[in-house]
Amino acid sequence: MSSPSCSASDLAPLLGGAGNSSAAAAAQYICSQFDTMALQLTDAASAIDTTYLLFSAYLVFSMQLGFAMLCAGSVRAKNTMNIMLTNVLDAAAGALFYYLFGFAFAFGAPSNGFIGRHFFGLKRIPQPGFDYSYFLYQWAFAIAAAGITSGSIAERTQFVAYLIYSSFLTGFVYPVVSHWFWSTDGWASASRPVGNSLLFRSGVIDFAGSGVVHLVGGVAGLWGAFIEGPRIGRFDHASRSVALRGHSATLVVLGTFLLWFGWYGFNPGSFITIDKSYGPIGSIHGQWSAVGRTAVTTTLAGCTAALTTLFGKRLQTGHWNVIDVCNGLLGGFAAITAGCSVVEPWAAVICGFVAAWVLIGLNKLAAKVKFDDPLEATQLHGGCGAWGIIFTGLFAREKYVNEVYPGRPGRPYGLFMGGGGRLLAAQIVQILVIAGWVSCTMGPLFYALHRMGLLRISPEDEMAGMDLTRHGGFAYIYHDDDDSGTGHDAAGGFMLKSSNVRVEPNATNPV
């Protein structure tokens, strides 16, 4: 928002002459009012942007509810309470460690290109460019990465291992990656100020985190699931895949829709501000329009991936599977997250189409190598996230790149859009360094937990179910008894009472 300006020396001649003291006083008064109004407009613009960012933060946080429902529905009933508790503590432990260390490592400026060095415990916050709302928004992203990993190691992991890996991931591993690509000081950031060199004269365009969030969570989950090994009964003695189906498709669909809703804070919200014009005053060209376009590309990619998965799996299995469609939808969202702000809507359709086949292919590969990820999180977030990074290097449009990342004329853009291969090269570097960094940090952590006996539960506990053996009882217990034998209370109303007969999920391992 541009503020009005006023000069008393320019205004005085219009009010009666430069030598007229009354005219000069009047001009001074009028300009002081203009200055006051300009400050008020600046405050209003800050309030608009802050409100937009906070609303986006709330949307991203609502994705935790989506993760919780998706995870709960994707595991067997005997492990429901365990996976729900891990989702709650991902947010709770993540908040504390991101407050103490993570935000400083990610955005503590000024700093070097590798890691931030200021704002520990939010010291010296707020200040221009770093307010409390910005911390809240970035924390919601950090716990999303931790939530991805929890799905990969579900149904067989000790609770203490969840606490350790979640704290380490949100407090150190993820913040370092976000510093590289999102901080203005980061060595590969596309937002580095003029005067600092860019990686391949481009920097990495990962607008909302196909790499920073999804690939980080996917690679961490890959190492956790690989070191733990598959769940008991997931593969038979002939190494054939045995489906250990989740207990509630209803919860899976509910979680998917909640994640879909939250993604409108995840992708469009990553603009951080909305009150910014790209063209003349009064035109429709502004950040508000780019926000809308980003929401459209996000929607189209997810929907295309869902439909592609629907028909692709129908050809493979002969039936329509809502779980596969939900995973395909989320795979499309994970893929478009990197380039959502810099591609055309038609390109988002291509992104979603390819993402669906990436997910289907990686699931086939996982079954062949006996890799067990109950929520397909490694394949979905890791594989589709990597595709999204490459997709951005192919389809980013020049106009949108210069609007979203201004101040660098001649910046490279998508290879297929005529922008050369520099952006694509930067994107490939991002995939490699994220895979390497997360492997070198989370891999040894999971291996150390495994060697200390802190990672996987015992076979007996796994067969019985973690809810019963680790959390005091099953999540679903129904009491239906009537002491009077009539099913009615004294006032004639129907009531349910405690019973000696308890209907609980079967503790045995289904085949």
Side-chain angles (χ1 to χ4, degrees):
M1 179 183 293
S2 59
S3 301
S5 60
C6 179
S7 171
S9 60
D10 293 336
L11 183 60
L14 301 176
L15 298 176
N20 189 321
S21 60
S22 298
Q28 188 67 37
Y29 173 77
I30 293 172
C31 284
S32 68
Q33 297 304 304
F34 266 94
D35 292 340
T36 300
M37 184 174 67
L39 293 174
Q40 290 175 340
L41 288 174
T42 300
D43 288 346
S46 297
I48 291 170
D49 289 336
T50 298
T51 301
Y52 174 72
L53 184 58
L54 283 172
F55 180 72
S56 298
Y58 304 151
L59 283 176
V60 177
F61 180 71
S62 73
M63 297 177 78
Q64 291 302 118
L65 177 57
F67 277 126
M69 295 299 99
L70 181 69
C71 290
S74 299
V75 302
R76 290 163 291 177
K78 62 184 180 180
N79 296 310
T80 306
M81 190 180 298
N82 171 262
I83 197 66
M84 295 286 279
L85 183 57
T86 61
N87 275 268
V88 173
L89 289 179
D90 278 339
L96 185 61
F97 281 88
Y98 198 72
Y99 160 74
L100 292 174
F101 311 108
F103 186 74
F105 290 149
F107 299 102
S111 65
N112 56 49
F114 178 76
I115 194 169
R117 298 179 296 183
H118 301 282
F119 307 150
F120 291 98
L122 296 187
K123 187 177 181 180
R124 297 199 303 272
I125 297 287
Q127 60 176 261
F130 294 95
D131 205 345
Y132 293 112
S133 56
Y134 189 69
F135 163 79
L136 191 73
Y137 187 70
Q138 296 300 338
W139 158 72
F141 270 68
I143 61 176
I148 292 169
T149 306
S150 67
S152 298
I153 57 178
E155 295 202 283
R156 60 204 190 275
T157 305
Q158 292 193 45
F159 189 68
V160 65
Y162 279 111
L163 290 175
I164 294 172
Y165 99 79
S166 180
S167 302
F168 185 58
L169 184 66
T170 55
F172 179 66
V173 177
Y174 166 83
V176 169
V177 175
S178 57
H179 180 82
W180 293 349
F181 304 110
W182 285 348
S183 171
T184 55
D185 295 324
W187 63 270
S189 173
S191 301
R192 287 169 68 87
V194 177
N196 294 328
S197 61
L198 294 174
L199 178 65
F200 296 116
R201 293 196 326 218
S202 168
V204 171
I205 295 180
D206 187 7
F207 184 71
S210 287
V212 175
V213 178
H214 296 283
L215 186 57
V216 167
V219 174
L222 168 68
W223 284 106
F226 173 75
I227 291 172
E228 279 192 306
R231 292 166 290 173
I232 296 175
R234 179 65 178 85
F235 299 96
D236 64 15
H237 295 296
S239 297
R240 293 173 299 187
S241 176
V242 178
L244 301 181
R245 299 188 183 278
H247 79 280
S248 176
T250 302
L251 290 179
V252 171
V253 173
L254 174 61
T256 300
F257 274 114
L258 287 169
L259 287 168
W260 187 342
F261 179 63
W263 233 291
Y264 291 126
F266 206 89
N267 286 5
S270 291
F271 279 97
I272 306 301
T273 62
I274 194 171
D275 187 15
K276 178 182 178 181
S277 177
Y278 294 154
I281 296 175
S283 72
I284 63 171
H285 300 294
Q287 200 126 289
W288 50 87
S289 179
V291 166
R293 182 183 69 248
T294 301
V296 169
T297 57
T298 300
T299 303
L300 291 176
C303 293
T304 302
L307 292 173
T308 305
T309 306
L310 174 69
F311 290 103
K313 296 294 288 187
R314 176 70 168 81
L315 293 174
Q316 288 184 336
T317 64
H319 58 267
W320 314 98
N321 191 318
V322 67
I323 307 297
D324 291 332
V325 171
C326 288
N327 285 337
L329 178 84
L330 298 177
F333 286 151
I336 195 60
T337 296
C340 54
S341 65
V342 295
V343 300
E344 294 280 8
W346 61 263
V349 174
I350 298 175
C351 177
F353 178 80
V354 176
W357 290 110
V358 169
L359 179 60
I360 291 172
L362 288 177
N363 283 335
K364 283 283 188 181
L365 178 62
K368 283 185 175 296
V369 300
K370 296 198 290 185
F371 176 79
D372 182 23
D373 184 327
L375 273 87
E376 302 176 7
T378 297
Q379 303 93 293
L380 193 161
H381 296 278
C384 294
W387 155 242
I389 296 168
I390 295 173
F391 162 79
T392 305
L394 298 175
F395 289 95
R397 183 182 172 188
E398 181 182 15
K399 175 185 176 182
Y400 299 153
V401 169
N402 288 325
E403 287 176 349
V404 177
Y405 301 95
R408 297 286 187 121
R411 182 193 292 269
Y413 50 99
L415 175 64
F416 290 168
M417 308 300 287
R422 291 181 179 274
L423 175 58
L424 179 60
Q427 304 296 94
I428 293 174
V429 167
Q430 183 192 22
I431 295 174
L432 296 176
V433 296
I434 287 178
W437 168 253
V438 178
S439 297
C440 290
T441 51
M442 296 301 295
L445 175 66
F446 280 121
Y447 183 74
L449 292 173
H450 171 68
R451 295 292 294 176
M452 292 187 292
L454 298 176
L455 186 58
R456 184 158 184 163
I457 60 175
S458 67
E460 295 77 16
D461 287 355
E462 186 176 344
M463 294 291 288
M466 297 179 70
D467 288 0
L468 181 64
T469 59
R470 300 299 176 106
H471 302 287
F474 290 109
Y476 303 106
I477 300 177
Y478 307 95
H479 300 279
D480 187 3
D481 186 30
D482 180 13
D483 293 337
S484 65
T486 63
H488 293 75
D489 61 12
F494 182 80
M495 62 186 300
L496 295 177
K497 298 182 179 180
S498 298
S499 172
N500 293 325
V501 180
R502 302 175 63 181
V503 183
E504 299 182 347
N506 192 343
T508 61
N509 193 36
V511 177

